[in-house]
Amino acid sequence: SIMVFSISKEQRDDLVDRMADSLAAIGFHNYGQTFTDTRAKAEEIEARAFSVAEVASSTTKESWSAGTGGERPMIELIRLYTKKAVELLQAEIIRCGEDAMDTSTGAGDAVGDSDRFDLSSKDREFYTQQRAEQVLAPLMAKGASFSKVKLSTKSFGIDAAKVVTKAFANIASTLKEVDLSDIIAGRPEEEALKAMEIITEATLCAKITSVDLSDNAFGEKGVRACTKMLQQQSGIEEISFMNNGISEQAAAAILELLASPQSLKKFHLDKNMTGDDGTAHVGKILEKAPGMQDFKMAGSRFTSEGAKFLAKGLSAGASLVKLDLTDNNVNEEGGFALAGMLFKQPNLKHVNLEATSLGPKAAIQVSQALASGCPQLEYLNLNACDITPEGVPQVAQAISAMKNLKTLKISENELGDLGVAQICVALKMAGCPVVELDVSTNELVEKGAVAAAKLAASRAGFTSLNLDGNYISDEGVEEVKSIMEGAGIASALMPMEENDADMADDVDDDNAEGLDNLLAHLKL
């Protein structure tokens, strides 16, 4: 027998009375205004607080008190009920106050984006049918015409999901983009999957071009709950499954169910335990998507084998603009495969290969491919790629040919002063409009940091130089600061809290002469 939260009508009415009085009093005393509908607002707040406690009494197992025989004790639920009511009352007071200020300053006419409906906020809430009808009312109004709808951070059960069906049906002719990320949190699995099925099926009344299913942690069962949408929406151009438990089986299900991969332009996966076997399925989806422009598969536990599958898949087209494979062990062999694909992507502007363990040889090949095949490249992240001093001369040479580079992140690569100075000279030779440089955690002692500061000072509109996590001597820090100040860009120097000047003496300076020659190149 599950205890359902209940308190007497008298108690509930009493709370409503008190809150209505408080709202009216605060409006009068703090803002010199009479807030309208205080009773109705108080009733709405009480109903929401009650539904939170009601849902908590039957679903949120992980926070049940130990030793209570499996359900939350009534006292804990009453605390939750009053706490939620207070939070909502505070938020309402702030909102009414802002409205009052707006009216007095004449700014009350500001209208939100009439095309976009967005529920997301810090206030996580379990929706009942009644609450869903209330918040989705704008979508169900006569003549509503939204094209983008975001339901994130609210938890929909089966009854609330059915309200979404009605809402989508009412805006079917204009609805194009749906963000369904994080919409079933805290629900029992069976209910969560059924709600997901109802809501994704609700999109079938419209022609959807973009859908985000991230942060629902639903695995293969969740992918299959979206079957009708994946099979029948034939014009999906953007789809995201980030932090969604996309295992090998779930990736296989996406490949099996996605009816028209050929229309895909954006495909995002992140924080999934996909592994190499799962990445093979993702590669097959990419083979059918030659128009792919924006591909992300970060933190997905694949290695060089997986990287080869992706390189093969992405080679099906030449439309790539953005690529993010952060935090996977791509390794040398995988890096070579990616380099072969990157060379054939003339529109590529943004590449993030942070923490992919490329090693010096693959870092060289990837840099050379980008330099010769991707003339529009603006953003390159090679942080934590194990470039080491051995890879620097050729990586630097490739960078010197990147004419449009605006951001270079190359931290955590053991480059040393000489390596960073070589990179800075390369950026100067490229004549590129670089405005952001990250060479943090590279064992810099002084001259590499000075080289970076001189480069920054020579670039118009420079915004960010990160030298943190190095061993820069006190003199070095002072020189860097004076160069940046002299160029009027002191604020572009990021904080250096992790710099360890005491380590400066432990680094041997074999390259003094070479360094001085490089610094001469960077004369202001």
Side-chain angles (χ1 to χ4, degrees):
S1 66
I2 287 196
M3 171 189 64
V4 175
F5 177 63
S6 65
I7 50 176
S8 72
K9 185 171 185 313
E10 289 75 21
Q11 286 175 299
R12 294 184 66 176
D13 288 345
D14 179 57
L15 181 64
V16 172
D17 289 340
R18 288 163 185 256
M19 291 196 293
D21 291 346
S22 298
L23 270 171
I26 289 169
F28 181 72
H29 293 296
N30 290 28
Y31 299 102
Q33 299 237 350
T34 307
F35 286 167
T36 51
D37 304 328
T38 50
R39 175 85 199 173
K41 282 171 184 160
E43 281 172 357
E44 179 195 324
I45 288 170
E46 189 282 330
R48 286 174 65 183
F50 186 85
S51 82
V52 166
E54 197 175 30
V55 169
S57 69
S58 59
T59 58
T60 41
K61 295 179 188 153
E62 68 276 1
S63 44
W64 288 350
S65 299
T68 57
E71 69 236 351
R72 283 185 159 187
M74 190 56 79
I75 187 77
E76 202 179 316
L77 291 168
I78 288 173
R79 277 192 200 125
L80 181 65
Y81 166 67
T82 47
K83 178 172 174 249
K84 193 69 194 175
V86 170
E87 274 174 26
L88 294 169
L89 183 64
Q90 282 178 322
E92 183 59 29
I93 288 165
I94 291 167
R95 195 186 65 74
C96 289
E98 283 170 352
D99 285 354
M101 302 297 279
D102 282 349
T103 336
S104 59
T105 55
D109 305 332
V111 181
D113 185 346
S114 58
D115 195 34
R116 185 164 191 259
F117 179 84
D118 185 354
L119 286 181
S120 62
S121 70
K122 288 191 185 122
D123 180 22
R124 305 189 66 82
E125 195 181 338
F126 277 82
Y127 277 1
T128 55
Q129 178 186 336
Q130 190 186 2
R131 179 69 179 139
E133 281 167 354
Q134 196 178 25
V135 291
L136 298 176
L139 300 181
M140 296 192 273
K142 196 168 185 288
S145 62
F146 295 93
S147 71
K148 301 174 185 151
V149 173
K150 180 170 185 172
L151 304 179
S152 312
T153 70
K154 306 298 177 259
S155 181
F156 289 80
I158 292 168
D159 294 342
K162 289 175 180 168
V163 180
V164 175
T165 305
K166 281 188 226 161
F168 284 0
N170 190 50
I171 53 169
S173 60
T174 54
L175 185 61
K176 292 276 177 260
E177 301 177 18
V178 289
D179 186 339
L180 308 177
S181 56
D182 188 12
I183 58 165
I184 49 174
R187 301 271 174 188
E189 181 182 79
E190 198 178 333
E191 185 187 16
L193 292 172
K194 187 64 188 167
M196 186 57 70
E197 183 184 331
I198 293 168
I199 291 174
T200 51
E201 204 173 311
T203 67
L204 296 180
C205 62
K207 284 191 163 61
I208 300 296
T209 57
S210 170
V211 59
D212 190 343
L213 295 160
S214 303
D215 298 318
N216 286 306
F218 56 29
E220 184 197 358
K221 288 180 184 173
V223 173
R224 295 200 178 277
C226 305
T227 293
K228 288 190 177 164
M229 179 184 71
L230 295 173
Q231 285 184 336
Q232 293 176 44
Q233 287 287 5
S234 58
I236 295 178
E237 296 177 3
E238 305 183 350
I239 195 160
S240 296
F241 291 96
M242 302 201 286
N243 191 23
N244 252 355
I246 302 301
S247 58
E248 180 197 344
Q249 293 76 12
I254 298 172
L255 172 63
E256 171 201 332
L257 299 170
L258 191 63
S260 57
Q262 64 278 5
S263 61
L264 276 187
K265 293 178 181 170
K266 173 182 170 182
F267 187 19
H268 279 197
L269 301 141
D270 185 7
K271 300 189 192 74
N272 291 304
M273 313 262 278
T274 314
D276 287 330
D277 294 339
T279 305
H281 302 305
V282 175
K284 288 191 177 125
I285 295 169
L286 293 172
E287 284 178 39
K288 301 178 185 182
M292 186 61 62
Q293 295 175 7
D294 179 353
F295 180 67
K296 176 177 186 174
M297 192 167 175
S300 297
R301 307 278 176 101
F302 64 79
T303 68
S304 53
E305 287 309 300
K308 286 189 220 165
F309 293 132
L310 296 180
K312 183 178 180 218
L314 290 166
S315 294
S319 311
L320 208 56
V321 176
K322 200 169 177 186
L323 176 68
D324 183 350
L325 302 179
T326 307
D327 194 20
N328 292 290
N329 283 323
V330 170
N331 302 327
E332 186 170 281
E333 216 179 319
F336 291 161
L338 288 172
M341 175 275 298
L342 291 168
F343 178 66
K344 302 170 193 149
Q345 302 293 340
N347 303 313
L348 198 58
K349 288 186 174 176
H350 182 111
V351 175
N352 189 346
L353 295 173
E354 177 164 0
T356 48
S357 310
L358 291 178
K361 290 178 181 157
I364 291 167
Q365 285 216 0
V366 164
S367 305
Q368 289 173 339
L370 292 170
S372 46
C374 312
Q376 300 181 46
L377 188 70
E378 293 179 1
Y379 177 103
L380 176 58
N381 186 333
L382 294 174
N383 288 344
C385 278
D386 306 331
I387 296 173
T388 68
E390 152 192 6
V392 172
Q394 284 173 279
V395 168
Q397 193 179 0
I399 287 171
S400 71
M402 296 178 184
K403 302 295 180 202
N404 289 301
L405 199 62
K406 291 179 181 170
T407 296
L408 176 64
K409 293 177 180 274
I410 197 161
S411 72
E412 292 183 63
N413 278 300
E414 302 170 29
L415 302 181
D417 281 309
L418 184 64
V420 167
Q422 285 173 296
I423 299 282
C424 291
V425 169
L427 287 166
K428 186 183 179 192
M429 284 165 66
C432 58
V434 67
V435 290
E436 184 177 1
L437 177 63
D438 182 354
V439 286
S440 56
T441 320
N442 266 313
E443 301 174 9
L444 301 184
V445 176
E446 185 174 346
K447 289 179 177 170
V450 170
K454 286 187 167 180
L455 174 79
S458 71
R459 286 291 168 264
F462 196 89
T463 58
S464 171
L465 173 61
N466 191 346
L467 295 169
D468 207 11
N470 284 303
Y471 312 144
I472 304 166
S473 63
D474 295 339
E475 301 79 40
V477 172
E478 285 316 307
E479 187 171 356
V480 164
K481 283 183 177 169
S482 80
I483 293 169
M484 300 290 277
E485 276 163 18
I489 52 169
S491 62
L493 182 61
M494 296 295 104
M496 294 173 64
E497 287 152 18
E498 302 293 318
N499 182 56
D500 186 357
D502 298 338
M503 292 285 287
D505 309 332
D506 300 347
V507 182
D508 40 329
D509 197 2
D510 300 338
N511 307 308
E513 194 180 337
L515 268 166
D516 290 335
N517 291 339
L518 288 166
L519 281 172
H521 269 287
L522 289 160
K523 279 215 166 68
L524 299 178

